[in-house]
């Protein structure tokens, strides 16, 4: 196998296994709807990654990156969206809605429509500047001289696929531990950690934007 491609896969694997905004959204939806909700969020996130890859391949991402106003708008929208998700989880916790997982979720019947979870996954990745940067700066650095167009597609597909597998494992793994979340204290603790993670990520994104 091409050593450059192996290096790319190693870097990509390290990036996708590091918990971030998408992981928090997958966890949030798994808590709400079991593995179906988490998997729907993971599918939405994969669609968002694919959209970034397509935009970069067509040169649209470069236009945004070179336009300070557009880039700032994406950064602000992403940070505010993460903050909204974080405050929603915190509000649920304060209102006492972070209750033990219900019998419906234990039986893997979703309490939230999958398309809502998928929409959150798509949105959080579309508005994630880190993913746009990955396709603008990281992926091109692993393109060998004279590489065919299909090579870029191969690199992009590897990232999309690896990220989807990782997020799916989060959903299924957390769902397998659902019996531990029957206790109210465990449910509240995980809900609180998810809210804190989302708010911290939102603050980081907003702080990194030059506004």
């Amino acid at each position: 196998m091409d050593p450059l491609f192996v290096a790319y896969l190693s870097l990509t694997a390290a990036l996708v296994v590091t918990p971030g905004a998408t992981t928090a959204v997958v966890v949030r939806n798994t808590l709400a709807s079991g593995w179906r909700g988490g998997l729907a969020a993971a599918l939405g996130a994969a669609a968002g990654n694919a959209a970034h890859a397509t935009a970069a391949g067509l040169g649209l991402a470069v236009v945004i990156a070179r336009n300070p106003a557009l880039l700032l708008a994406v950064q602000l929208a992403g940070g505010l969206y993460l903050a909204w998700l974080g405050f929603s989880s915190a509000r649920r916790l304060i209102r006492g809605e972070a209750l033990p997982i219900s019998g419906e979720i234990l039986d893997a019947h979703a309490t939230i429509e999958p398309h809502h979870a998928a929409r959150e996954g798509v949105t959080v990745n579309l508005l994630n500047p880190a993913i746009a940067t990955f396709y603008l700066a990281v992926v091109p650095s692993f393109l060998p001289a004279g590489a065919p167009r299909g090579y870029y597609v191969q690199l992009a597909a590897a990232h999309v696929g690896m990220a989807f597998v990782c997020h799916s494992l989060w959903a299924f793994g957390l769902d397998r531990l659902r019996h531990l979340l029957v206790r109210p204290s465990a449910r509240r603790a995980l809900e609180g950690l998810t809210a804190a993670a989302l708010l911290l990520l939102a603050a980081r994104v907003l702080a990194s934007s030059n506004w």
Side-chain angles (χ1 to χ4, degrees):
M1 186 178 290
D2 182 4
L4 187 63
F5 186 62
V6 173
Y8 171 78
L9 291 180
S10 300
L11 174 62
T12 302
L15 292 175
V16 301
V17 300
T18 303
T22 310
T23 306
V25 169
V26 170
V27 170
R28 182 176 187 271
N29 282 281
T30 305
L31 284 176
S33 304
W35 67 266
R36 285 186 173 85
L39 185 60
L43 283 169
N49 284 337
H52 273 293
T54 302
L58 295 175
L60 299 178
V62 176
V63 174
I64 295 177
R66 292 180 177 176
N67 190 316
L70 286 177
L71 183 59
L72 177 61
V74 172
Q75 290 176 320
L76 291 178
L80 292 174
Y81 184 70
L82 288 173
W84 179 77
L85 292 177
F87 280 121
S88 295
S89 289
R91 182 179 56 189
R92 200 161 56 209
L93 181 64
I94 293 172
R95 291 181 175 179
E97 296 174 357
L99 300 175
I101 292 184
S102 67
E104 288 186 343
I105 296 180
L106 287 173
D107 292 334
H109 295 302
T111 58
I112 294 179
E113 292 295 329
H115 68 271
H116 291 302
R119 184 175 59 195
E120 286 191 4
V122 170
T123 305
V124 76
N125 271 11
L126 284 179
L127 298 179
N128 191 339
I131 299 176
T133 301
F134 175 80
Y135 281 104
L136 283 172
V138 177
V139 175
S141 68
F142 285 90
L143 288 172
R149 184 175 298 273
Y151 196 84
Y152 169 81
V153 176
Q154 183 180 359
L155 295 182
H159 172 256
V160 173
M162 292 170 70
F164 173 70
V165 170
C166 182
H167 295 141
S168 298
L169 289 175
W170 273 100
F172 285 111
L174 184 58
D175 185 71
R176 293 291 294 177
L177 297 175
R178 61 189 183 276
H179 62 282
L180 299 177
L181 302 176
V182 173
R183 298 178 58 185
S185 58
R187 174 73 169 170
R188 286 194 296 267
L190 194 51
E191 188 80 65
L193 286 173
T194 303
L198 287 167
L199 291 173
L200 180 61
L201 289 165
R204 183 181 301 175
V205 171
L206 292 173
S208 66
S209 59
N210 298 318
W211 62 296

